[in-house]
Amino acid sequence: MRPPTAADPYPFAGTQLPCLVGGEFIRTRNAFQNLSPVDGTTLCTVSEADATLVDRAVQAARAALQGPWGRTSLPERCALLRKVAERIEARFTEFVSAEVADTGKTLKEASALDIPRGAANFRAYADLALARSAECFEMATPDGRGALNYAVHKPVGVVAVVAPWNLPFLLLTWKVAPALVCGNAVVAKPSEETPATAALLAQVMQESGIPPGVFNLLHGFGTGSTGEALVSHPDVDAIAFTGESATGAAIMRSAADSVKALSFELGGKNAALVFADADFEAAVNGTVRSVFANCGQVCLCSERVYVERPIFERFVAALAARAQALKVGGPFEGADMGPLISRAHREKVLSYYRLAREEHGEVVCGGGVPHFGDRRDQGAFIEPTVVRGLAESARCVKEEIFGPVCHVAPFDAEEQAVQLANDTHYGLAAAVWTQNLPRAHRVARQMQTGITWVNDWFLRDLRTAFGGVKHSGIGREGGAHSLAFFSETQNICVKL
Ligand code: NAD
Ligand code: 6OD
C-alpha cells in the first residue's frame, strides 16, 4: 500500500461529487463547494441532496431489505464486507489522497490511522458477527416438560448513519460496517466538510457487489438540509450519529415522533491526570499526542491536563517546549500538525484563545495563527497552544473547543484530581498517567467516562465498548455493542 505524494491528484479534482441512491450515481442541481483547509482553494463541488432525494434513498433502502439482501446469509454478508476491505486497500493511495485533501491532516495520520482503520472496521465486524453467539435459556414449567428460549438476531431495518469531519472515513465505516453485517440497509450522510472518502466508499461498495439500495450515500448539510431531512424521515428505523452534543440533542428531537433507535457518540472535554510517580517522558509524549493529534480534533483529545504539584512546573515547561517544536504545515510537508478543518472552525477556536486571556489565563505558548508568507496563509492553520492559570469555572475549562489547545493545572491529592476530572457535563474519555498500579486501577474506575486509558491514549481494540456518559453520548458501540444496536433480538420460547 503506497502512500500518495503531492504529485498524486485529488481523485475528484474538477468534478461534482454525486450521491448514490438505489445503485445510481446522481448529480443534483444544488451543488456546494468543497474547500481545502490547506489553502482555501476549491477541491471539487458536491451534490446536495434535497428532501425528495432523501426520500428516494430511504425508499431504495427499504426496497433493498425486501429484495435479495434481506435473504443473504451471515457468511455471505461477511464475505462482502471482506471484499469491501480489500477494495479499500487496493485503492489505498486514492483514499489517503482524498482524506488529506479534505481535512489537511498529515499524511502520517491518514496513512497510519484513518484509511487502514476504515478497512479494519469492515474486517473486524465480519469476524465479530461470525463469532457472535445467541442466548439460550432452558426453563422449568409446572407440567415438568420444560421450555427452551432462544434468541435470533434480525436487522433493525433502514439505518441512517450521520458522520462528522474529524476522522471522516474511520467514523463513517465504524457504523456502516456493523450496520451492513447485521443485514440492515444504510443511508449514509458524511459531513459537508469531508465528502471525498465517502464518495470513494460508494464506488467501492459497487465494485464489491453490495446490491443496489443497500448502501446509499447522500451529501449535504445538517440543519435545514439533507441531515435533518434524513433523521426526521418517518421510514428510517435507527440513527447512528457521531458529532456535537448539541447536534445530538437536535437529532433526538427530529427522531422523537417516529421513535427511532439512537446511538450517539458526542463531544468531550476530556481530562488527563498526570501523577508525580508517572514515567515523565512517557506522560509528556502521551499528552502531546492526546492534546495535539489531528490538530486537537479528536473527540478523545485531552483539553484539561491536571498534573500533580511536585512535577507541575517541569511538566508545563516540557509540554510547551514540545508544542512549540511541532511543525505545522500541509499534508505533504512532513508536518506534525495540519490545519483545522475550516476557516469557520478556526474562528471558533481563536475565539477561545482570546477568551482564555479575557478569563485571566496565561498563554504559555501559541495562542495565534502561524504566518507562512505563501498560499497556506489562505488556509485554516493555527498554533498549538498551552494555557495555565484559569479558574475551573472558566468557559475555556468547561466548553469543548476541539482545537490544538489544553489548559494545564496542578493538583495536590488523588481525590482532588478525581473530583477535577469529573467536574464536567461531558464524560467521554480520560487518560491516567501513573506507575502506581493500585492507584491506576482505583483512579481509572472513578473516572465518569466511557473510556479510560492508563499510561496511553487512543489505543484501540475494536472488540471493546466505545462511547460516552453524560452529554458525551447514548449507548455503546464497538464489538458486541455495535452488533446489539444494529440488530433486533427476538426471543423464541418453545414449549417442550
Ligand atoms: P456536527 O454535530 O456539527 O456534525 C456532525 C454531522 O451531523 C454532520 O454530518 C452534519 O452535517 C450533521 N448534522 C448537523 N446538524 C444536523 C441536524 N440538525 N440533523 C441531522 N444532521 C445534522 O459535528 P462536527 O463539527 O462534524 O464534528 C465535531 C464534533 O463531533 C465534536 O463535538 C466532537 O467531539 C464530536 N465527535 C464525537 C465523537 C465520539 O466518538 N464521541 C467522534 C468524533 C467527533
Ligand atoms: O476509534 C474509534 O472507533 C472511534 N470511534 C474513535 C473516535 C474518535 C473521535 O474523534
Side-chain angles (χ1 to χ4, degrees), residues 64 129 143 180 284 297 404 410:
D143 64 5
L180 291 183
V284 171
Q297 303 167 115

Side-chain angles (χ1 to χ4, degrees), residues 269-276 278 283 287 290-291 302-309 311-312 315-316 319 387 389-394 396-398 406-414 416-424 429-434 447:
K269 187 73 183 176
N270 310 302
L273 300 183
V274 185
F275 288 88
T287 307
S290 78
V291 175
S302 314
E303 292 195 3
R304 298 178 298 138
V305 180
Y306 298 104
V307 184
E308 202 167 5
R309 200 173 300 273
I311 61 163
F312 179 72
F315 191 91
V316 175
L319 185 62
V387 178
L390 288 168
E392 280 301 305
S393 57
C396 288
V397 180
K398 290 283 170 242
C406 68
H407 179 242
V408 55
F411 68 85
D412 294 299
E414 184 181 305
Q416 185 198 7
V418 169
Q419 183 275 326
L420 288 166
N422 289 336
D423 186 15
T424 166
V432 179
W433 298 90
T434 177
M447 292 296 98

Side-chain angles (χ1 to χ4, degrees), residues 205-234:
M205 288 287 179
Q206 292 215 322
E207 292 163 10
S208 308
I210 299 284
V214 173
F215 176 80
N216 304 277
L217 177 66
L218 298 174
H219 296 290
F221 300 87
T223 308
S225 172
T226 320
E228 191 175 342
L230 178 60
V231 297
S232 53
H233 194 291

Side-chain angles (χ1 to χ4, degrees), residues 36 38-41 333 343 372-379 381:
S36 160
V38 175
D39 57 14
T41 54
E333 297 160 21
R343 279 288 180 109
F372 297 99
D374 57 34
R375 61 192 178 83
R376 290 173 294 179
D377 289 334
Q378 307 311 311
F381 292 93

